[in-house]
């Protein structure tokens, strides 16, 4: 009896299915042309104008959490570029601190000057390249971020450190006019750090500009102190508008701050040069002062 009931149910089912095989009104019976094409897969990429609370120069998706630049952050992305040519053909992203990244850093360097409205090295700022993560690279991503960030007043460019500090505003146009970030007159504290001082107050140091060092190893370049002082002396002369001649060493002392090793390896060759009064207290800027402010001593 059970077998007969099953057969009857099966027969009824077959009848329903067969009845449903007709073409419904308003259709052509071809389902293959009614599906919408699937959207093309999109590779993740950050955007310029984003700020980040993580300063790591390798952009992992797992740590991607951009914030409004008006909120507390460490670094600001001002440009997103694309690796091309031999760099894009690599099987892994270029190491951040390597010669292969120099051309990319140079691109970020140029764009950073445009972004802030001046040479970022003349202020308490630094720049880094943040390439996509190894996993992202394996998946086909070839982008890199250009990030800019503020340095600490004491342990920043004057203390040869390159660590980002928290800030709560965008750096766009920050150097288009005089800024609290801009390097100027200074005094040395008991730990050898240069601290900001008013130029009309008593001070012994003044930032005068950047000298671009030759492209060689950090150790070799940093060791050549005599050449650096000579180069910075010429920067002082241009700043103060005095002759670059044999009398110049008798007009001014010099000091400098070399790029940190990580920054040097990223591609920066900018040495920050300072006028040094040789211990005499000065109460004015030497900018454009000529031989009157830098007499022979």
């Amino acid at each position: 009896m059970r077998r007969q009931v099953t057969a009857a149910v099966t027969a009824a089912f077959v009848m329903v299915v067969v009845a449903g095989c007709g073409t419904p009104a308003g259709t052509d019976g071809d389902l293959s042309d009614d599906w919408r094409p699937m959207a093309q897969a999109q590779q993740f990429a950050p955007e310029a104008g984003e700020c980040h609370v993580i300063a790591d120069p390798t952009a992992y998706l797992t740590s991607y959490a951009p914030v409004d630049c008006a909120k507390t952050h460490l670094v600001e992305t001002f440009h997103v570029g694309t690796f091309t040519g031999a760099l894009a053909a690599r099987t892994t992203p270029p190491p951040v601190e390597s010669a292969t990244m120099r051309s990319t850093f140079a691109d970020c360097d140029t764009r950073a000057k445009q972004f802030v409205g001046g040479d970022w090295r003349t202020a308490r700022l630094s720049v880094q390249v943040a390439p996509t993560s190894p996993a992202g690279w394996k998946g086909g991503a070839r982008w890199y971020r250009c990030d800019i960030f503020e340095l600490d007043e004491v342990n920043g460019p004057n203390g040869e450190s390159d660590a980002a500090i928290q800030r709560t505003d965008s750096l766009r146009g920050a150097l288009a006019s005089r800024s609290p970030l801009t390097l100027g007159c200074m005094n040395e504290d008991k730990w050898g750090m240069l601290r900001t001082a008013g130029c009309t107050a008593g001070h012994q140091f003044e930032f005068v500009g950047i000298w671009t060092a030759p492209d060689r190893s950090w150790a070799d370049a940093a060791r050549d102190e005599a050449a650096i002082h000579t180069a910075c002396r010429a920067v002082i002369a241009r700043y103060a508008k005095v002759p670059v001649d044999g009398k110049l060493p008798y007009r001014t002392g010099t000091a400098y701050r070399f790029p940190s090793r990580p920054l040097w390896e990223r591609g920066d060759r900018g040495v920050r040069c300072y006028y040094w009064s040789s211990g005499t207290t000065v109460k004015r800027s030497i900018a454009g002062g000529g031989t009157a402010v830098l007499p022979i001593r």
Side-chain angles (χ1 to χ4, degrees):
M1 183 69 178
R2 179 177 300 172
R3 184 177 299 171
Q4 292 176 344
V5 172
T6 302
V9 172
T10 302
F13 176 73
V14 171
M15 290 176 63
V16 172
V17 172
V18 171
C21 286
T23 302
T27 67
D28 58 8
D30 185 358
L31 297 179
S32 64
D33 62 356
D34 293 329
W35 292 98
R36 291 184 178 181
M38 293 183 64
Q40 185 177 3
Q42 296 293 316
Q43 184 67 250
F44 159 75
E47 296 182 6
E50 296 176 338
C51 288
H52 307 272
V53 297
I54 297 175
D56 193 291
T58 300
Y60 286 89
L61 178 58
T62 53
S63 60
Y64 178 70
V67 299
D68 188 319
C69 291
K71 297 182 178 180
T72 301
H73 61 272
L74 288 174
V75 301
E76 179 176 0
T77 299
F78 60 89
H79 174 71
V80 177
T82 303
F83 289 108
T84 59
L87 286 177
R90 291 173 54 93
T91 57
T92 58
V96 174
E97 297 171 8
S98 69
T100 55
M101 190 66 88
R102 302 284 165 75
S103 61
T104 308
F105 179 84
D107 177 50
C108 289
D109 177 14
T110 299
R111 294 177 184 275
K113 294 172 184 175
Q114 298 168 351
F115 181 74
V116 298
D119 191 337
W120 52 272
R121 297 173 184 82
T122 66
R124 290 187 292 106
L125 298 174
S126 192
V127 169
Q128 69 180 14
V129 182
T132 185
S133 67
W137 191 276
K138 186 176 181 179
R142 291 297 183 269
W143 53 261
Y144 59 87
R145 285 179 4 207
C146 294
D147 293 343
I148 192 166
F149 50 94
E150 182 178 345
L151 301 173
D152 180 76
E153 181 178 356
V154 178
N155 295 309
N158 299 313
E160 303 177 31
S161 176
D162 193 46
I165 63 170
Q166 292 183 336
R167 57 174 291 114
T168 55
D169 195 11
S170 171
L171 286 165
R172 181 183 294 275
L175 303 184
S177 57
R178 185 70 182 180
S179 165
L181 297 171
T182 304
L183 301 175
C185 297
M186 300 180 158
N187 279 315
E188 191 175 39
D189 65 19
K190 63 181 181 180
W191 294 282
M193 303 295 189
L194 296 180
R195 306 293 297 270
T196 299
C199 286
T200 55
H203 64 275
Q204 298 179 354
F205 296 85
E206 183 174 355
F207 172 75
V208 295
I210 302 296
W211 171 63
T212 303
D215 189 10
R216 50 181 173 168
S217 74
W218 184 89
D220 287 344
R223 190 182 299 119
D224 197 357
E225 296 185 6
I228 300 172
H229 281 292
T230 298
C232 281
R233 198 173 293 119
V235 177
I236 294 171
R238 289 194 296 270
Y239 182 79
K241 298 191 183 309
V242 298
V244 180
D245 56 22
K247 298 178 182 178
L248 185 57
Y250 303 101
R251 295 185 184 278
T252 180
T254 55
Y256 65 86
R257 289 295 183 267
F258 216 67
S260 65
R261 185 184 287 269
L263 188 54
W264 182 273
E265 298 301 338
R266 291 203 295 266
D268 185 30
R269 297 293 180 268
V271 178
R272 290 173 167 95
C273 296
Y274 297 82
Y275 156 74
W276 177 45
S277 68
S278 302
T280 304
T281 299
V282 180
K283 293 189 176 181
R284 60 155 292 174
S285 169
I286 67 167
T291 57
V293 296
L294 290 183
I296 296 174
R297 297 175 181 174

